[in-house]
């Protein structure tokens, strides 16, 4: 206690020195504790005992740009997280899907490209449900004998092709037109009118198209059934009729076309870049689906709902759908198993990760894994772990410690110093990118050091006082 008394005497001399209350308290506490053989160790940023230099650099915009220029590529997720259950080579025959393609882990994989084959569009052939319009020349003529034809001209009433493929003309009867082109249908009507001794001066047009359709669904604004008319229907025109494509993330979106047991696939990014793909001709019975998910659940529901609408009811096609569903289920189960295995290995620490470390007056001293596929900033790491309590942590003394990775052992250390006494400077933390093995350190407030030192000093002083007074 003799040493403690001498230290107390020295304190009286120091009182005359113009020190702040906090610094005086820390100094007084340090002297008192050292006199009793007790010292409170408070971490700070300084040169290491082995002489390794620690260079303190203010975290300015220029220094942040220089620090961010260091080479670092975030780790990639395994390829299984980019695989889809619709990948593989062309689907033919029964419609079974092949195995998922190999995708490298360094970059996100791309969807398999299986474009529609080029087809030569044929002339439109009249079918069941189409509405035909017969029109006569203006003015009276012997055609007036055919009241139905005049009604078609004057009242714009047409003739619907019935289930048996014919239209019924008053005073003439049924005329078979299904399966004929417009030109062939005009020839057939001309012959019928002549045979019935009626002036064959007329014109024929298809007023409404109902016999040939293409179904459009998935990520479009207006899912619908689009009719095929006299003009060829292209993939781009069909999607425009359905309100165009409506997706947020185009990376994994694709346009899938199901045609007679074969599933074709065009990645959306490729489709938008190529006019020839937008001009692909669609055929009667095609089902187009804009898919944005990793599996084909919604696509399969769409196909099955629309297959009946477009009259794809054969046993072979039903078998194709069942095969597709079974294969998709197997692929999905395999993907889920591999993804679950990766997550389990990660929990057990068997997967290599990059980490940064939080220490000092942070809310949660911890080791934090850097994210996959993207850069993390100082603000991301610090505030995702709760930030820091500025009643104990000094907002003017925030450091990111980074060692020179080019050295075999720990070489020179750079301490990037962030002062957020002005809260606006916190924005700098949102620009500073983290690197593996960075250490984020926040120093104590001066008053915090003093308070903690007093907490350790008082029990010792009370014990020493009690011993000096004989326990009384």
């Amino acid at each position: 206690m003799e040493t403690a008394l001498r230290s107390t005497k020295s304190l009286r001399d120091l009182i005359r020195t113009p020190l702040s209350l906090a610094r005086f308290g820390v100094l007084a506490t340090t002297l008192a504790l050292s006199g009793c053989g007790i010292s409170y160790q408070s971490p700070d940023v300084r040169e290491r005992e082995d002489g390794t230099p620690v260079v303190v650099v203010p975290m300015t915009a220029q220094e942040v740009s220089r620090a961010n220029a260091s080479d670092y590529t975030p780790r990639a997720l395994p390829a299984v997280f980019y695989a889809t259950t619709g990948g593989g080579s062309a689907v033919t025959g029964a419609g079974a899907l092949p195995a998922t393609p190999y995708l490298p882990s360094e970059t996100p994989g791309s969807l398999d490209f299986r474009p529609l084959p080029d087809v030569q569009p044929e002339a439109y052939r009249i079918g069941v449900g189409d509405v035909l319009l017969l029109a006569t020349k203006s003015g009276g003529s012997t055609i007036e004998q055919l009241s139905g034809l005049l009604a078609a001209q004057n009242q714009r009433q047409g003739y619907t092709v019935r289930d048996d493929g014919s239209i019924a003309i008053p005073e003439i009867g049924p005329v078979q037109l299904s399966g004929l082109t417009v030109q062939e249908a005009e020839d057939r009507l001309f012959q019928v009118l002549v045979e019935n001794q009626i002036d064959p001066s007329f014109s024929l047009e298809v007023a409404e198209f109902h016999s040939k359709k293409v179904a459009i669904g998935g990520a479009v604004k207006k899912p619908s059934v689009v009719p095929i008319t006299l003009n060829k229907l292209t993939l781009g025109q069909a999607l425009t009729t359905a309100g165009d494509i409506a997706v947020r993330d185009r990376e994994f979106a694709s346009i899938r076309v199901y045609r007679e047991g074969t599933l074709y696939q065009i990645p959306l990014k490729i489709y938008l870049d190529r006019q020839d793909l937008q001009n692909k001709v669609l055929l009667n019975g095609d089902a187009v689906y804009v898919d944005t998910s990793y599996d084909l659940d919604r696509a399969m529901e769409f196909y099955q709902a629309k297959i009946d609408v477009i009259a794809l009811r054969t046993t072979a096609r039903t078998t194709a759908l069942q095969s597709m569903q079974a294969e998709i289920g197997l692929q999905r189960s395999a993907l889920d198993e591999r993804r679950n295995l990766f997550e389990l290995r990660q929990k057990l620490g068997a997967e290599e990760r990059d980490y940064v470390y939080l220490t000092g007056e942070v809310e949660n001293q911890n080791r934090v894994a850097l994210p996959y596929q993207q850069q993390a900033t100082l603000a991301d790491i610090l505030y995702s772990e709760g930030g820091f309590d500025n009643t104990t942590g000094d907002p003017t003394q925030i450091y990111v410690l980074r060692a020179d990775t080019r050295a075999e052992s720990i070489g020179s250390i750079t301490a990037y110093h962030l002062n957020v006494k002005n809260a606006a400077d916190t924005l700098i933390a949102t620009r500073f990118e983290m690197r593996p093995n960075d250490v984020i350190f926040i120093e104590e407030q001066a008053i915090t050091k003093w308070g903690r030192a007093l907490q350790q000093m008082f029990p010792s002083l009370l014990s020493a006082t009690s011993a000096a007074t004989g326990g009384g």
Side-chain angles (χ1 to χ4, degrees), residues 126-130 159-169 173-180 188:
I126 297 169
V128 175
D130 287 343
Y159 296 87
T160 301
V161 180
R162 303 183 300 186
D163 291 342
D164 61 358
S166 66
I167 62 172
I169 301 177
V175 180
Q176 285 287 334
L177 297 181
S178 179
L180 303 181
R188 173 72 61 81

Side-chain angles (χ1 to χ4, degrees), residues 60 125 146 232 237 268 338 386-388 430 454:
T60 61
R125 294 189 177 274
L146 190 56
K232 65 182 180 180
Q237 291 169 343
L268 181 56
R338 291 161 64 189
F388 69 99
T430 66
L454 288 175

